[in-house]
Amino acid sequence: MNAALALHGLSFNYGDRTVLRLDALTLQPAETCAVIGPSGCGKTTLLHLVAGLLRPTLGTVSVCGQRLDELSVSACDRFRGRNMGIVFQRLHLLPALSVLENLLLAQHLARVSRDGAAANALLDALGIGELARARPAQLSQGQSQRVAIARALVHRPSLLLADEPTSSLDDGNAVRAIELLRTQAQSIGAALLVVTHDRRIRGQLDREVVLGGAA
């Protein structure tokens, strides 16, 4: 079985400045990992490289056995849409759509069949099934976070990426958000990569990678 994620000899430069260097990282299906470090250490750059939004200066990024640099931009977009789910720091729920419609749109964009039953089941599993017809403006921050997790998982990706998912949450909700990401990713066999400066999540995932001298 191919690794969900494999990075080798990775570095990225902005001009003459190296902003990220990572020798190797491999995640198997259902494995979870936190990349921890202060602002400016290259965490967001790493996430963009893994998502195929940036190309490395040196090294390779492979997802499910596919090297991303071997794909055209359009093919990489399609590959990302089908094989990856992303929980952004800013949740970007579409305000004109209901919670359920946000999930159905995610299925459509991933080019999988729209499956309302599966979307509702996922909302139920996250404890927000009763909010399927609600609009994002009617949700609390914690509820919106759960919808964003559901949207990232609804097409059953092989790799789930989360960018600072606890940055705007209090201690209790931060712990719950990471637990939800972990359990829901593992329930579908997806690997989970979380990039964060939040030390509250240390020890909650299978592995940790520290960037920028954080301790």
Side-chain angles (χ1 to χ4, degrees), residues 60-81:
T60 61
V61 178
S62 298
V63 175
C64 302
Q66 172 64 59
R67 276 182 51 169
L68 300 186
D69 62 305
E70 295 177 342
L71 299 174
S72 68
V73 172
S74 59
C76 190
D77 289 344
R78 291 191 296 271
F79 183 84
R80 181 192 315 112

PDB file of all heavy atoms in Angstrom, residues 60-81:
ATOM      1  N   THR A  60      10.862  16.124  -3.341  1.00  0.00           N
ATOM      2  CA  THR A  60       9.620  15.607  -3.901  1.00  0.00           C
ATOM      3  C   THR A  60       8.528  15.511  -2.851  1.00  0.00           C
ATOM      4  O   THR A  60       8.789  15.290  -1.673  1.00  0.00           O
ATOM      5  CB  THR A  60       9.830  14.210  -4.520  1.00  0.00           C
ATOM      6  OG1 THR A  60      10.265  13.297  -3.500  1.00  0.00           O
ATOM      7  CG2 THR A  60      10.854  14.250  -5.645  1.00  0.00           C
ATOM      8  N   VAL A  61       7.306  15.656  -3.314  1.00  0.00           N
ATOM      9  CA  VAL A  61       6.095  15.450  -2.517  1.00  0.00           C
ATOM     10  C   VAL A  61       5.245  14.419  -3.249  1.00  0.00           C
ATOM     11  O   VAL A  61       4.881  14.629  -4.408  1.00  0.00           O
ATOM     12  CB  VAL A  61       5.287  16.748  -2.349  1.00  0.00           C
ATOM     13  CG1 VAL A  61       4.002  16.482  -1.566  1.00  0.00           C
ATOM     14  CG2 VAL A  61       6.116  17.832  -1.677  1.00  0.00           C
ATOM     15  N   SER A  62       4.936  13.319  -2.574  1.00  0.00           N
ATOM     16  CA  SER A  62       4.074  12.284  -3.150  1.00  0.00           C
ATOM     17  C   SER A  62       2.881  12.065  -2.246  1.00  0.00           C
ATOM     18  O   SER A  62       3.027  11.974  -1.020  1.00  0.00           O
ATOM     19  CB  SER A  62       4.837  10.963  -3.315  1.00  0.00           C
ATOM     20  OG  SER A  62       5.922  11.108  -4.211  1.00  0.00           O
ATOM     21  N   VAL A  63       1.705  11.989  -2.842  1.00  0.00           N
ATOM     22  CA  VAL A  63       0.463  11.696  -2.125  1.00  0.00           C
ATOM     23  C   VAL A  63      -0.142  10.449  -2.749  1.00  0.00           C
ATOM     24  O   VAL A  63      -0.362  10.409  -3.970  1.00  0.00           O
ATOM     25  CB  VAL A  63      -0.525  12.877  -2.192  1.00  0.00           C
ATOM     26  CG1 VAL A  63      -1.856  12.513  -1.551  1.00  0.00           C
ATOM     27  CG2 VAL A  63       0.080  14.108  -1.514  1.00  0.00           C
ATOM     28  N   CYS A  64      -0.356   9.423  -1.935  1.00  0.00           N
ATOM     29  CA  CYS A  64      -0.908   8.153  -2.415  1.00  0.00           C
ATOM     30  C   CYS A  64      -0.088   7.598  -3.586  1.00  0.00           C
ATOM     31  O   CYS A  64      -0.637   7.043  -4.541  1.00  0.00           O
ATOM     32  CB  CYS A  64      -2.369   8.304  -2.816  1.00  0.00           C
ATOM     33  SG  CYS A  64      -3.432   8.891  -1.492  1.00  0.00           S
ATOM     34  N   GLY A  65       1.232   7.779  -3.521  1.00  0.00           N
ATOM     35  CA  GLY A  65       2.114   7.248  -4.542  1.00  0.00           C
ATOM     36  C   GLY A  65       2.281   8.120  -5.771  1.00  0.00           C
ATOM     37  O   GLY A  65       3.070   7.788  -6.655  1.00  0.00           O
ATOM     38  N   GLN A  66       1.561   9.241  -5.829  1.00  0.00           N
ATOM     39  CA  GLN A  66       1.640  10.140  -6.984  1.00  0.00           C
ATOM     40  C   GLN A  66       2.532  11.335  -6.663  1.00  0.00           C
ATOM     41  O   GLN A  66       2.246  12.114  -5.741  1.00  0.00           O
ATOM     42  CB  GLN A  66       0.248  10.638  -7.369  1.00  0.00           C
ATOM     43  CG  GLN A  66       0.236  11.732  -8.436  1.00  0.00           C
ATOM     44  CD  GLN A  66       0.771  11.246  -9.772  1.00  0.00           C
ATOM     45  OE1 GLN A  66       0.232  10.304 -10.359  1.00  0.00           O
ATOM     46  NE2 GLN A  66       1.831  11.887 -10.262  1.00  0.00           N
ATOM     47  N   ARG A  67       3.627  11.492  -7.416  1.00  0.00           N
ATOM     48  CA  ARG A  67       4.453  12.681  -7.272  1.00  0.00           C
ATOM     49  C   ARG A  67       3.724  13.885  -7.854  1.00  0.00           C
ATOM     50  O   ARG A  67       3.321  13.884  -9.021  1.00  0.00           O
ATOM     51  CB  ARG A  67       5.802  12.491  -7.968  1.00  0.00           C
ATOM     52  CG  ARG A  67       6.816  11.782  -7.118  1.00  0.00           C
ATOM     53  CD  ARG A  67       8.151  11.657  -7.798  1.00  0.00           C
ATOM     54  NE  ARG A  67       8.666  12.913  -8.330  1.00  0.00           N
ATOM     55  CZ  ARG A  67       9.915  13.077  -8.775  1.00  0.00           C
ATOM     56  NH1 ARG A  67      10.759  12.058  -8.748  1.00  0.00           N
ATOM     57  NH2 ARG A  67      10.301  14.249  -9.260  1.00  0.00           N
ATOM     58  N   LEU A  68       3.557  14.919  -7.026  1.00  0.00           N
ATOM     59  CA  LEU A  68       2.766  16.061  -7.462  1.00  0.00           C
ATOM     60  C   LEU A  68       3.462  16.854  -8.553  1.00  0.00           C
ATOM     61  O   LEU A  68       2.792  17.456  -9.403  1.00  0.00           O
ATOM     62  CB  LEU A  68       2.452  16.964  -6.266  1.00  0.00           C
ATOM     63  CG  LEU A  68       1.649  16.326  -5.122  1.00  0.00           C
ATOM     64  CD1 LEU A  68       1.288  17.379  -4.087  1.00  0.00           C
ATOM     65  CD2 LEU A  68       0.408  15.618  -5.635  1.00  0.00           C
ATOM     66  N   ASP A  69       4.802  16.856  -8.573  1.00  0.00           N
ATOM     67  CA  ASP A  69       5.502  17.631  -9.586  1.00  0.00           C
ATOM     68  C   ASP A  69       5.397  17.002 -10.970  1.00  0.00           C
ATOM     69  O   ASP A  69       5.759  17.635 -11.965  1.00  0.00           O
ATOM     70  CB  ASP A  69       6.971  17.819  -9.196  1.00  0.00           C
ATOM     71  CG  ASP A  69       7.714  16.494  -9.099  1.00  0.00           C
ATOM     72  OD1 ASP A  69       7.263  15.614  -8.355  1.00  0.00           O
ATOM     73  OD2 ASP A  69       8.751  16.344  -9.777  1.00  0.00           O
ATOM     74  N   GLU A  70       4.907  15.784 -11.053  1.00  0.00           N
ATOM     75  CA  GLU A  70       4.718  15.131 -12.348  1.00  0.00           C
ATOM     76  C   GLU A  70       3.365  15.458 -12.974  1.00  0.00           C
ATOM     77  O   GLU A  70       3.087  15.037 -14.097  1.00  0.00           O
ATOM     78  CB  GLU A  70       4.862  13.616 -12.195  1.00  0.00           C
ATOM     79  CG  GLU A  70       6.275  13.180 -11.793  1.00  0.00           C
ATOM     80  CD  GLU A  70       6.386  11.686 -11.575  1.00  0.00           C
ATOM     81  OE1 GLU A  70       5.324  11.027 -11.396  1.00  0.00           O
ATOM     82  OE2 GLU A  70       7.514  11.164 -11.576  1.00  0.00           O
ATOM     83  N   LEU A  71       2.535  16.208 -12.249  1.00  0.00           N
ATOM     84  CA  LEU A  71       1.207  16.570 -12.738  1.00  0.00           C
ATOM     85  C   LEU A  71       1.204  17.997 -13.260  1.00  0.00           C
ATOM     86  O   LEU A  71       1.890  18.877 -12.729  1.00  0.00           O
ATOM     87  CB  LEU A  71       0.175  16.454 -11.611  1.00  0.00           C
ATOM     88  CG  LEU A  71      -0.010  15.067 -10.980  1.00  0.00           C
ATOM     89  CD1 LEU A  71      -0.946  15.173  -9.783  1.00  0.00           C
ATOM     90  CD2 LEU A  71      -0.558  14.089 -11.996  1.00  0.00           C
ATOM     91  N   SER A  72       0.406  18.243 -14.294  1.00  0.00           N
ATOM     92  CA  SER A  72       0.169  19.613 -14.725  1.00  0.00           C
ATOM     93  C   SER A  72      -0.629  20.347 -13.651  1.00  0.00           C
ATOM     94  O   SER A  72      -1.170  19.732 -12.724  1.00  0.00           O
ATOM     95  CB  SER A  72      -0.607  19.622 -16.039  1.00  0.00           C
ATOM     96  OG  SER A  72      -1.927  19.132 -15.839  1.00  0.00           O
ATOM     97  N   VAL A  73      -0.710  21.666 -13.772  1.00  0.00           N
ATOM     98  CA  VAL A  73      -1.458  22.444 -12.785  1.00  0.00           C
ATOM     99  C   VAL A  73      -2.910  21.980 -12.716  1.00  0.00           C
ATOM    100  O   VAL A  73      -3.476  21.779 -11.624  1.00  0.00           O
ATOM    101  CB  VAL A  73      -1.382  23.949 -13.119  1.00  0.00           C
ATOM    102  CG1 VAL A  73      -2.319  24.743 -12.202  1.00  0.00           C
ATOM    103  CG2 VAL A  73       0.046  24.452 -12.973  1.00  0.00           C
ATOM    104  N   SER A  74      -3.546  21.785 -13.869  1.00  0.00           N
ATOM    105  CA  SER A  74      -4.955  21.370 -13.874  1.00  0.00           C
ATOM    106  C   SER A  74      -5.111  19.951 -13.337  1.00  0.00           C
ATOM    107  O   SER A  74      -6.062  19.666 -12.590  1.00  0.00           O
ATOM    108  CB  SER A  74      -5.544  21.488 -15.277  1.00  0.00           C
ATOM    109  OG  SER A  74      -4.827  20.683 -16.198  1.00  0.00           O
ATOM    110  N   ALA A  75      -4.200  19.057 -13.690  1.00  0.00           N
ATOM    111  CA  ALA A  75      -4.268  17.687 -13.185  1.00  0.00           C
ATOM    112  C   ALA A  75      -4.029  17.660 -11.688  1.00  0.00           C
ATOM    113  O   ALA A  75      -4.653  16.874 -10.958  1.00  0.00           O
ATOM    114  CB  ALA A  75      -3.254  16.804 -13.904  1.00  0.00           C
ATOM    115  N   CYS A  76      -3.138  18.524 -11.198  1.00  0.00           N
ATOM    116  CA  CYS A  76      -2.886  18.600  -9.760  1.00  0.00           C
ATOM    117  C   CYS A  76      -4.120  19.112  -9.028  1.00  0.00           C
ATOM    118  O   CYS A  76      -4.458  18.621  -7.942  1.00  0.00           O
ATOM    119  CB  CYS A  76      -1.682  19.494  -9.488  1.00  0.00           C
ATOM    120  SG  CYS A  76      -1.092  19.437  -7.781  1.00  0.00           S
ATOM    121  N   ASP A  77      -4.817  20.076  -9.607  1.00  0.00           N
ATOM    122  CA  ASP A  77      -6.057  20.577  -9.006  1.00  0.00           C
ATOM    123  C   ASP A  77      -7.078  19.448  -8.876  1.00  0.00           C
ATOM    124  O   ASP A  77      -7.741  19.304  -7.838  1.00  0.00           O
ATOM    125  CB  ASP A  77      -6.643  21.704  -9.852  1.00  0.00           C
ATOM    126  CG  ASP A  77      -5.836  22.988  -9.768  1.00  0.00           C
ATOM    127  OD1 ASP A  77      -5.011  23.119  -8.846  1.00  0.00           O
ATOM    128  OD2 ASP A  77      -6.038  23.860 -10.636  1.00  0.00           O
ATOM    129  N   ARG A  78      -7.216  18.646  -9.929  1.00  0.00           N
ATOM    130  CA  ARG A  78      -8.169  17.538  -9.889  1.00  0.00           C
ATOM    131  C   ARG A  78      -7.745  16.496  -8.860  1.00  0.00           C
ATOM    132  O   ARG A  78      -8.578  15.969  -8.109  1.00  0.00           O
ATOM    133  CB  ARG A  78      -8.304  16.896 -11.271  1.00  0.00           C
ATOM    134  CG  ARG A  78      -8.990  17.785 -12.299  1.00  0.00           C
ATOM    135  CD  ARG A  78      -9.340  17.012 -13.563  1.00  0.00           C
ATOM    136  NE  ARG A  78      -8.157  16.514 -14.260  1.00  0.00           N
ATOM    137  CZ  ARG A  78      -7.500  17.200 -15.179  1.00  0.00           C
ATOM    138  NH1 ARG A  78      -7.884  18.422 -15.509  1.00  0.00           N
ATOM    139  NH2 ARG A  78      -6.437  16.669 -15.783  1.00  0.00           N
ATOM    140  N   PHE A  79      -6.457  16.209  -8.826  1.00  0.00           N
ATOM    141  CA  PHE A  79      -5.936  15.214  -7.884  1.00  0.00           C
ATOM    142  C   PHE A  79      -6.158  15.680  -6.448  1.00  0.00           C
ATOM    143  O   PHE A  79      -6.579  14.899  -5.589  1.00  0.00           O
ATOM    144  CB  PHE A  79      -4.443  14.987  -8.145  1.00  0.00           C
ATOM    145  CG  PHE A  79      -3.830  13.937  -7.269  1.00  0.00           C
ATOM    146  CD1 PHE A  79      -3.920  12.593  -7.608  1.00  0.00           C
ATOM    147  CD2 PHE A  79      -3.170  14.284  -6.104  1.00  0.00           C
ATOM    148  CE1 PHE A  79      -3.362  11.619  -6.789  1.00  0.00           C
ATOM    149  CE2 PHE A  79      -2.609  13.320  -5.283  1.00  0.00           C
ATOM    150  CZ  PHE A  79      -2.707  11.983  -5.636  1.00  0.00           C
ATOM    151  N   ARG A  80      -5.884  16.957  -6.179  1.00  0.00           N
ATOM    152  CA  ARG A  80      -6.102  17.494  -4.838  1.00  0.00           C
ATOM    153  C   ARG A  80      -7.568  17.392  -4.447  1.00  0.00           C
ATOM    154  O   ARG A  80      -7.907  16.983  -3.330  1.00  0.00           O
ATOM    155  CB  ARG A  80      -5.649  18.951  -4.781  1.00  0.00           C
ATOM    156  CG  ARG A  80      -5.822  19.596  -3.407  1.00  0.00           C
ATOM    157  CD  ARG A  80      -5.636  21.110  -3.451  1.00  0.00           C
ATOM    158  NE  ARG A  80      -4.484  21.483  -4.236  1.00  0.00           N
ATOM    159  CZ  ARG A  80      -4.564  22.130  -5.409  1.00  0.00           C
ATOM    160  NH1 ARG A  80      -5.752  22.464  -5.922  1.00  0.00           N
ATOM    161  NH2 ARG A  80      -3.481  22.434  -6.080  1.00  0.00           N
ATOM    162  N   GLY A  81      -8.449  17.772  -5.378  1.00  0.00           N
ATOM    163  CA  GLY A  81      -9.867  17.768  -5.079  1.00  0.00           C
ATOM    164  C   GLY A  81     -10.390  16.395  -4.720  1.00  0.00           C
ATOM    165  O   GLY A  81     -11.275  16.268  -3.862  1.00  0.00           O
TER     166      GLY A  81
END
